Amino acid sequence: MDYKISRKLSLLPPSGIRKINEKALKLEREGKNIIHLEIGRPDFDTPEYIKKACIKSIEEGNVFYTSNFGTMELRKAIGEKLEKQNHIKYDPEEEILVSVGLSEAVYDVLSVLLEEGDEILVPDPVWMNYLNLPKVLGAVPVTYQLLEENEYQLDMEEIERKITDKTKAMVIVSPNNPTGGVLQRQTLEQLAKLAVKYDIMMISDEVYERIIFDGEEHISIASMEGMKERTVTLNGFSKAYSMTGWRLGYVAAPAPVIAAVNKMHQHLTTCASSFVQAAGVAALREEKDEIGLLVEEYKRRRDYLVSQLNQIPGFHCLMPRGSFYVYVNVKAFPMSSAELCEYFLMEGHVAMVPGSVFGENGEGYIRLSFANSYENIIEAVERLKRCVSELKKAGKVK
């Protein structure tokens, strides 16, 4: 039978990250000991106070639909957080919407901002949703380069060259997945001027904002003069609070944008789970020093991993300033990044993501997550050293 699947789905490739993950899980089922450095999932448990808030909410009978926009208590807590930490004042009633994870929020926002034929500026490399979803919506993702030699900062001249009368929006992700780069204040100030000059909406993905190192400063572009009214800020609870399975995110934007986003959101998911929203309130209002302690541990892992990787022949990487990823240059190997990751998975039992998953600029790189235990990272490094030694013997390292 011809099921006549929508042609649009051919524009949406399967997740390259999940492809690696599924293969790694299959090897585990076959008895192999796999070290997972492919998934962007904190290895820490959700803090106990957050879990207790969720359980309490269920026990109190909060098991029904909430407002499509999210509970007012959570929207107020998000507003308090954005004002205190990001220096942006939003009206919880009209300018904040709670989503079922950040992935849903991204789809909702792109759906309401982009029309067929519109262009959207997207970093390359980047989390693949920003490259793939515009195509499904009939829009055109126009990529701007994030280059290792520029420490993954933006080339403002390149961006301005790529702005046309069809440019509707621009995506920025800081801290960045997969590079670990953090956009500097001067860069954001220049971007803000371009956004005003060309009347472009900014979509700012800030989900890694709390995972930042070496005294770096996270700056929300919406906090800059004239930018709140032309910025959609996307964030969530998955990374900072180790709540990936809870599926809780949010959108902060001008009221007309939020009203439009809600139309899509209510048709897709109705609302985020009521008791999960109660956990979100606790996360924001009862946090003590949990995230600071996690970041200290991430830094310990990062420092060890980067120092060791740069000693492996054919490997080179910059020190990431944010997120929990190391982005490794492997252009010295006469293999594609996908082939190399396949080799390391099958021979070394270390799962990593080929950079090609994140865009054309990703070829020649691989992404490693250090959201795994220090002990596992040490073992992963030893396995990679052994694998590269074998490749070197075979003459497969330039």
Side-chain angles (χ1 to χ4, degrees):
M1 178 178 176
D2 181 5
Y3 289 100
K4 298 180 181 178
I5 303 298
S6 168
R7 181 189 60 82
K8 288 183 178 180
L9 264 293
S10 66
L11 302 172
L12 191 64
S15 167
I17 298 172
R18 290 294 170 178
K19 180 180 178 181
I20 293 288
N21 179 243
E22 290 298 331
K23 188 171 288 189
L25 292 175
K26 183 175 185 294
L27 288 172
E28 280 187 325
R29 291 193 294 271
E30 294 170 357
K32 304 295 191 297
N33 174 239
I34 306 298
I35 297 178
H36 292 273
L37 304 184
E38 82 278 25
I39 295 293
R41 190 210 78 177
D43 59 309
F44 305 101
D45 193 5
T46 303
E48 194 66 24
Y49 75 95
I50 297 174
K51 293 194 287 185
K52 285 181 177 177
C54 181
I55 294 167
K56 182 174 183 286
S57 182
I58 293 172
E59 290 176 341
E60 290 176 348
N62 295 318
V63 294
F64 304 105
Y65 295 131
T66 73
S67 161
N68 296 134
F69 293 94
T71 66
M72 183 51 67
E73 189 177 14
L74 178 54
R75 283 184 276 158
K76 285 181 177 178
I78 292 168
E80 292 161 7
K81 179 264 180 207
L82 289 168
E83 185 171 6
K84 181 180 178 181
Q85 296 180 8
N86 304 85
H87 314 296
I88 323 163
K89 188 172 179 58
Y90 286 102
D91 177 3
E93 186 77 46
E94 296 187 324
E95 296 182 319
I96 294 172
L97 179 141
V98 179
S99 61
V100 182
L102 188 61
S103 297
E104 188 230 332
V106 170
Y107 181 81
D108 293 347
V109 168
L110 293 179
S111 295
V112 304
L113 290 183
L114 298 178
E115 297 188 79
E116 196 162 334
D118 283 344
E119 295 178 355
I120 179 169
L121 290 166
V122 179
D124 181 5
V126 73
W127 181 49
M128 71 289 299
N129 291 37
Y130 290 115
L131 290 170
N132 295 331
L133 290 178
K135 297 175 186 176
V136 174
L137 297 168
V140 181
V142 176
T143 58
Y144 61 89
Q145 299 187 90
L146 300 180
L147 300 175
E148 182 181 3
E149 52 265 37
N150 293 340
E151 296 189 350
Y152 304 117
Q153 293 300 304
L154 279 55
D155 181 334
M156 303 308 298
E157 291 182 359
E158 178 203 7
I159 289 171
E160 189 160 17
R161 283 198 309 271
K162 291 186 172 180
I163 295 173
T164 73
D165 58 2
K166 294 182 179 180
T167 305
K168 186 76 167 289
M170 177 176 176
V171 173
I172 56 174
V173 184
S174 181
N176 182 269
N177 172 18
T179 69
V182 175
L183 294 180
Q184 304 299 301
R185 179 178 292 276
Q186 181 180 358
T187 298
L188 292 169
E189 288 172 347
Q190 291 173 323
L191 270 183
K193 290 178 182 177
L194 282 183
V196 172
K197 179 180 178 180
Y198 293 102
D199 192 24
I200 296 171
M201 284 294 294
M202 300 297 298
I203 300 170
S204 181
D205 183 330
E206 304 181 14
V207 74
Y208 292 97
E209 63 166 343
R210 301 293 299 280
I211 305 171
I212 203 160
F213 311 104
D214 306 328
E216 287 285 348
E217 178 186 17
H218 170 75
I219 302 164
S220 294
I221 194 168
S223 67
M224 296 183 163
E225 185 177 354
M227 288 306 294
K228 181 191 168 186
E229 58 264 35
R230 62 177 68 254
T231 300
V232 177
T233 299
L234 300 171
N235 211 326
F237 294 76
S238 293
K239 311 303 181 180
Y241 296 98
S242 195
M243 293 174 67
T244 55
W246 297 68
R247 311 313 303 133
L248 193 63
Y250 58 88
V251 184
V257 176
I258 290 295
V261 168
N262 186 49
K263 288 183 183 179
M264 181 61 68
H265 165 71
Q266 62 187 200
H267 284 287
L268 284 178
T269 61
T270 303
C271 62
S273 298
S274 52
F275 38 86
V276 169
Q277 293 188 60
V281 173
L284 293 172
R285 289 186 171 163
E286 298 178 31
E287 175 193 334
K288 294 181 176 63
D289 59 352
E290 296 87 359
I291 294 178
L293 293 173
L294 295 188
V295 171
E296 284 182 19
E297 175 58 20
Y298 282 139
K299 183 180 185 303
R300 183 170 80 108
R301 299 172 184 183
R302 178 201 68 161
D303 292 350
Y304 173 81
L305 184 58
V306 170
S307 68
Q308 293 298 308
L309 290 175
N310 279 323
Q311 294 177 34
I312 298 176
F315 280 26
H316 177 265
C317 56
L318 299 180
M319 185 71 77
R321 301 299 184 185
S323 79
F324 40 61
Y325 304 113
V326 177
Y327 199 51
V328 186
N329 184 325
V330 290
K331 294 179 181 179
F333 296 86
M335 306 160 72
S336 70
S337 59
E339 290 170 335
L340 199 57
C341 283
E342 176 82 5
Y343 174 79
F344 288 135
L345 177 60
M346 301 307 294
E347 299 301 322
H349 299 156
V350 179
M352 301 175 290
V353 183
S356 54
V357 164
F358 304 103
E360 292 183 9
N361 263 3
E363 185 52 69
Y365 292 83
I366 57 178
R367 190 195 77 174
L368 290 75
S369 167
F370 48 90
N372 203 323
S373 72
Y374 193 79
E375 293 72 24
N376 279 344
I377 288 171
I378 291 173
E379 174 59 25
V381 166
E382 293 308 308
R383 294 183 187 186
L384 292 175
K385 286 179 178 178
R386 289 195 292 271
C387 285
V388 171
S389 178
E390 292 301 313
L391 289 174
K392 196 172 181 182
K393 288 177 185 176
K396 293 186 177 180
V397 182
K398 292 180 185 177

